[in-house]
Amino acid sequence: MVRVKAQRTQRLQRSMKTGLFGVAAAVVLPAALLFVPRDSAPSPDVVEAVRLSLEEAEAAGSERWAPEALETARSERALALQALSRQNGRLPLFRNYEEAREHLETAGAHARHAAQETRSAREAADDAADTLLREARATLDAAQAVADAAHLQAEGRKALRQAEILLGEADRHLARGLTVEAEAKAHRVIQLGREWQQRARELLARFNDSEALSRWNRWVAETVEWSRTNKAPA
């Protein structure tokens, strides 16, 4: 009888242990599942690559040459970082990084586009500025040639020297990538060159005007005669 009771007690104890283990498993396993990641976050390399692409675009001058693409890249990167932060704050089981991945991809694409657009725009601007500077040089050379033929006075020579200085500044601006400033200087050189070409041509035209030249010679003769008669400088 005693033996039977002991066996019953042992079976009861084993049953209780099994039940406790079952309850523990029922509680612990679901809780553990909450810490099993549902989705993996974008790798740090991907996040860093987007940052570097954005820095490359900024360094290339996209703020000036491709502002819209650059601003989109910045905005998309900010949204990606916000999405990452939100998901990292959730339990692993409920994390979903799809939105962050999409924003990172868009940010990277726009950053690369901004850099490429900037390179293309700068090349086109450099070509245009270089063409304008060649025109300015040709205009200044032509003005100098006309000025030499017309024996341009000091005022005109000073203006041409000023134009020469401006052209040198334009060359230096272009070498530094300051195309807008280079073009402004080149336009001023062209303006000065054309103005003094016109003045020199007008001066030369006077010497080709026989009537005006005859009148000028008569005035000279009359002045000389007056000086001789009155024995005084005219």
Side-chain angles (χ1 to χ4, degrees):
M1 186 68 178
V2 174
R3 185 177 179 181
V4 171
K5 288 182 177 180
Q7 290 175 346
R8 289 178 178 176
T9 299
Q10 290 176 356
R11 286 196 296 271
L12 180 59
Q13 288 174 345
R14 285 196 297 270
S15 177
M16 290 177 65
K17 289 180 180 180
T18 302
L20 287 173
F21 282 126
V23 171
V27 173
V28 172
L29 286 178
L33 288 175
L34 294 175
F35 297 93
V36 176
R38 173 189 173 188
D39 192 9
S40 298
S43 72
D45 289 343
V46 171
V47 178
E48 180 66 5
V50 171
R51 185 186 70 81
L52 292 176
S53 294
L54 190 55
E55 286 186 354
E56 179 186 351
E58 291 170 341
S62 295
E63 191 80 58
R64 175 178 178 179
W65 300 101
E68 292 183 4
L70 181 64
E71 183 57 34
T72 300
R74 287 172 173 169
S75 176
E76 288 293 323
R77 179 174 179 269
L79 291 173
L81 295 179
Q82 292 172 11
L84 279 172
S85 179
R86 283 196 305 271
Q87 296 306 316
N88 289 337
R90 305 179 72 180
L91 290 171
L93 181 62
F94 300 108
R95 292 175 185 172
N96 185 345
Y97 292 97
E98 185 61 29
E99 180 184 359
R101 281 192 290 269
E102 290 178 356
H103 285 306
L104 284 172
E105 182 178 353
T106 304
H110 277 82
R112 291 187 295 273
H113 175 69
Q116 180 58 50
E117 186 177 343
T118 296
R119 285 190 290 269
S120 298
R122 293 189 69 165
E123 288 175 3
D126 287 346
D127 289 344
D130 186 60
T131 299
L132 189 62
L133 259 66
R134 287 199 299 271
E135 180 183 351
R137 167 53 65 190
T139 302
L140 187 56
D141 288 345
Q144 187 66 55
V146 175
D148 291 342
H151 301 287
L152 203 60
Q153 296 177 350
E155 181 185 1
R157 298 291 180 184
K158 181 179 179 181
L160 291 178
R161 283 195 297 272
Q162 179 187 0
E164 190 72 44
I165 292 171
L166 288 173
L167 187 58
E169 292 175 352
D171 284 328
R172 289 191 289 276
H173 283 319
L174 184 59
R176 293 167 55 193
L178 304 175
T179 53
V180 173
E181 293 81 354
E183 288 182 350
K185 300 280 187 182
H187 279 300
R188 180 59 179 153
V189 170
I190 292 171
Q191 179 185 2
L192 287 173
R194 288 175 177 170
E195 286 177 358
W196 285 102
Q197 280 188 65
Q198 181 61 32
R199 293 190 184 187
R201 288 194 183 101
E202 290 174 356
L203 181 60
L204 287 173
R206 294 176 188 174
F207 291 102
N208 293 326
D209 185 342
S210 58
E211 182 179 346
L213 187 58
S214 176
R215 186 185 311 113
W216 184 80
N217 286 331
R218 187 177 69 254
W219 290 340
V220 171
E222 290 174 352
T223 302
V224 171
E225 181 61 27
W226 182 92
S227 179
R228 184 185 299 112
T229 301
N230 292 278
K231 301 185 183 308

